[in-house]
Amino acid sequence: MKNICVIGSGYVGMVTATCFADLGNKIVAVDVDEGKIEKLKQGVMPIYEPGLEELVERNVNAKRLYFTTSYEEGLQDADFVFICVGTPSAVDGEADLKYVRAAAQTIAEKMTKPLIVVNKSTVPVGTGDWTAEIIRNAQPEPIDFAVVSCPEFLREGSAIADFMNPDRNVFGSTNREAAEEVAHLYDPLGAVTVITDIRTSEMIKYASNAFLATRISFINEISIICERLGADVTEVARGMGYDKRIGPHFLNAGAGFGGSCFPKDVKALANMALIHGTHPQLLNAVMEINDFQRKHLGMKIRQLLDDSVDGKVIGMLGLAFKPNTDDIRDSPALTIARTLMNQGAKIRAYDPVAMENVKDELPTIELVENPYAVADGADILVVLTEWNEFKQLDMKRVKKLLNEPILVDGRNIYKPQTMRELGFVYRGVGRGFNGEGVRSD
Ligand code: UDX
């Protein structure tokens, strides 16, 4: 059992705190947002993440997990403090480090005994050294500490499983002993461990996210070519994925990547490269292709509606940036909805969990209770998040409800042939000449 303080109760913080508590440690989770902490004390989660609420409840009841706004309370017994605060994009694409700086400064002011400071927030290469400097300068009197970078690789929607069954854990520090101590916290998971220097560790995180984003943009570019040449990108990806050197993951063509990580991290890495005098051509292309993918879907919708969406009702299934999350940050669905609304379309949408978050972001969007209400009287139906519940809809009923039986499958969840047999005008992403080997558009 170790005493661990976790700063920040967003995705990374909540999952880190709760999973470490579940592994038998005593955790104090600190957040400066009083409202959030108050709600957490009442069992209300700040985020939607499958399985989190039950795990929090179990560990709070077992007195292994506490929530507070007080750094003093958090650091009182702590041997480790995990910084898990947000690093949003600043205007120029550089990561904004104000929350990391504030956390490091307060840790320095409030720590009373030797401490290992672990950085889990995604931070530009070199931030570990900078964090150490901030702490050193802000300490009222010198107390021993070490900074360790431990990047987080969890995915929203499967964050707990990702924490408990990681592909690897990475630790970076100038102090090897400190890195090993942090690595020991993860021993119960039995995962592969990479111990390295702090800058390399920070870079591993950026390079991993950028590589996955590159795979997505790659397959999206291929999807556009497939549409021109009459091939089906889903089959192309399947055929490629069996090659062990390629593998099947992150090759789903669709509306492009969104969320709080890929867009921000690719931009930040490109920015780091630029600042240091190199020209990040591939990273720029990855971002450009991702933007184009959204535009391309918008254009496809307009084309299917006789080149004008003005006054048309567009039914949207899915608003979250991916399934199993209520997160709408940089969601392709929202970009596409905004563009179409600017062109005069009326958007009617349904998402199993993200609708509450959309209300402030897009106040004029009509939100309805279920997929059938979306289809009712709509001129076209568009799938933008591949929630499971959209995969088994009664499509005969959907077709009857629609004004026109036009279906744009922005995540390729349906079989083109089945949809055509049901009488839909079906368009997926990169599915050849409408998936039939004959040009139909
Ligand atoms: C990602 C990384 O996977 C994770 O390791 C890191 O810690 C944070 O960023 P996350 O943003 O939660 O996780 O989602 P992920 O499942 O990776 O998907 C990101 C985006 O890519 C989504 O918008 C998803 O729809 C899109 N995507 C993913 C595709 O378009 N095609 C794919 O094949 C895979």
Side-chain angles (χ1 to χ4, degrees):
M1 196 279 289
K2 295 285 182 191
N3 286 302
I4 303 172
C5 173
V6 176
I7 311 286
S9 56
Y11 263 100
V12 176
M14 280 304 295
V15 173
T16 304
T18 313
C19 290
F20 271 136
D22 210 52
L23 292 176
N25 301 290
K26 188 183 154 211
I27 312 295
V28 183
V30 179
D31 198 295
V32 288
D33 184 333
E34 281 177 23
K36 241 185 194 179
I37 292 297
E38 212 31 63
K39 280 193 173 156
L40 274 165
K41 284 182 176 167
Q42 292 160 17
V44 180
M45 297 301 107
I47 49 165
Y48 171 84
E49 181 63 31
L52 183 65
E53 195 169 336
E54 296 83 332
L55 211 61
V56 168
E57 193 185 334
R58 184 159 92 209
N59 285 287
V60 166
N61 289 342
K63 301 203 179 317
R64 287 191 297 261
L65 178 59
Y66 299 83
F67 298 104
T68 178
T69 52
S70 153
Y71 271 71
E72 282 97 336
E73 212 181 311
L75 293 172
Q76 202 175 0
D77 300 318
D79 309 305
F80 301 87
V81 58
F82 280 70
I83 299 180
C84 302
V85 296
T87 50
S89 273
V91 189
D92 52 5
E94 218 173 317
D96 186 342
L97 293 175
K98 64 176 180 245
Y99 301 118
V100 177
R101 181 186 289 113
Q105 245 155 11
T106 320
I107 290 168
E109 287 159 13
K110 307 290 183 192
M111 65 192 278
T112 55
K113 63 191 198 67
L115 195 60
I116 295 181
V117 181
V118 188
N119 198 357
K120 270 218 160 290
S121 301
T122 301
V123 289
V125 177
T127 303
D129 301 337
W130 171 84
T131 309
E133 209 178 294
I134 291 179
I135 297 177
R136 213 172 294 118
N137 293 337
Q139 279 182 330
E141 52 193 70
I143 306 175
D144 249 12
F145 72 94
V147 175
V148 176
S149 149
C150 173
E152 183 54 71
F153 300 102
L154 61 81
R155 288 163 300 173
E156 292 181 19
S158 56
I160 291 164
D162 286 349
F163 183 100
M164 293 297 186
N165 305 294
D167 288 340
R168 80 310 206 179
N169 285 311
V170 176
F171 310 93
S173 184
T174 45
N175 180 334
R176 174 109 194 164
E177 228 171 87
E180 280 169 2
E181 275 194 60
V182 181
H184 284 317
L185 294 175
Y186 291 83
D187 278 350
L189 306 178
V192 173
T193 291
V194 177
I195 297 186
T196 180
D197 66 85
I198 202 155
R199 285 175 181 248
T200 305
S201 165
E202 288 164 345
M203 190 57 165
I204 288 171
K205 167 72 192 206
Y206 278 106
S208 301
N209 271 359
F211 183 72
L212 293 171
T214 302
R215 283 179 68 104
I216 298 170
S217 277
F218 172 83
I219 202 68
N220 280 334
E221 179 150 297
I222 295 293
S223 80
I224 304 282
I225 305 172
C226 282
E227 283 182 8
R228 298 283 156 204
L229 300 183
D232 184 333
V233 76
T234 61
E235 290 293 299
V236 172
R238 202 164 74 89
M240 287 168 64
Y242 287 118
D243 186 325
K244 288 193 186 66
R245 297 166 301 175
I246 298 174
H249 305 292
F250 282 74
L251 283 180
N252 294 323
F257 57 79
S260 66
C261 290
F262 285 176
K264 168 172 81 74
D265 292 350
V266 178
K267 206 192 270 179
L269 183 56
N271 203 268
M272 272 183 261
L274 212 59
I275 288 171
H276 290 89
T278 73
H279 179 39
Q281 299 176 66
L282 180 61
L283 299 176
N284 286 338
V286 167
M287 292 189 280
E288 206 178 301
I289 293 166
N290 200 48
D291 286 344
F292 179 72
Q293 204 65 11
R294 298 173 187 206
K295 288 193 188 110
H296 183 66
L297 263 171
M299 289 184 310
K300 200 175 269 186
I301 293 165
R302 206 176 54 214
Q303 227 169 33
L304 286 160
L305 292 171
D306 299 327
D307 277 331
S308 169
V309 296
D310 195 16
K312 304 270 169 61
V313 178
I314 297 176
M316 267 190 187
L317 295 182
L319 295 163
F321 82 96
K322 67 170 196 176
N324 300 321
T325 178
D326 65 349
D327 200 338
I328 53 163
R329 283 176 286 177
D330 218 332
S331 171
L334 266 61
T335 312
I336 293 168
R338 250 186 230 111
T339 307
L340 294 170
M341 283 196 289
N342 285 340
Q343 296 169 1
K346 189 168 180 292
I347 307 285
R348 185 185 301 148
Y350 166 77
D351 186 285
V353 295
M355 294 205 285
E356 204 46 48
N357 292 341
V358 172
K359 281 182 185 157
D360 287 339
E361 197 79 20
L362 289 179
T364 53
I365 199 168
E366 185 193 352
L367 298 168
V368 294
E369 272 168 17
N370 61 57
Y372 302 103
V374 171
D376 196 2
D379 296 301
I380 189 166
L381 188 67
V382 185
V383 179
L384 288 171
T385 317
E386 66 277 36
W387 284 95
N388 272 340
E389 69 172 79
F390 301 153
K391 293 178 182 166
Q392 296 289 342
L393 293 176
D394 177 350
M395 293 309 277
K396 277 191 188 149
R397 185 174 161 205
V398 167
K399 181 171 167 265
K400 266 196 207 136
L401 288 167
L402 282 166
N403 252 352
E404 296 289 336
I406 311 175
L407 178 60
V408 174
D409 183 0
R411 296 289 184 177
N412 289 343
I413 62 174
Y414 301 116
K415 287 203 169 81
Q417 172 129 7
T418 313
M419 291 304 123
R420 271 196 323 276
E421 277 165 15
L422 283 167
F424 282 101
V425 173
Y426 174 87
R427 295 289 182 278
V429 175
R431 305 195 93 173
F433 301 150
N434 197 17
E436 33 184 9
V438 188
R439 187 182 272 282
S440 62
D441 51 358

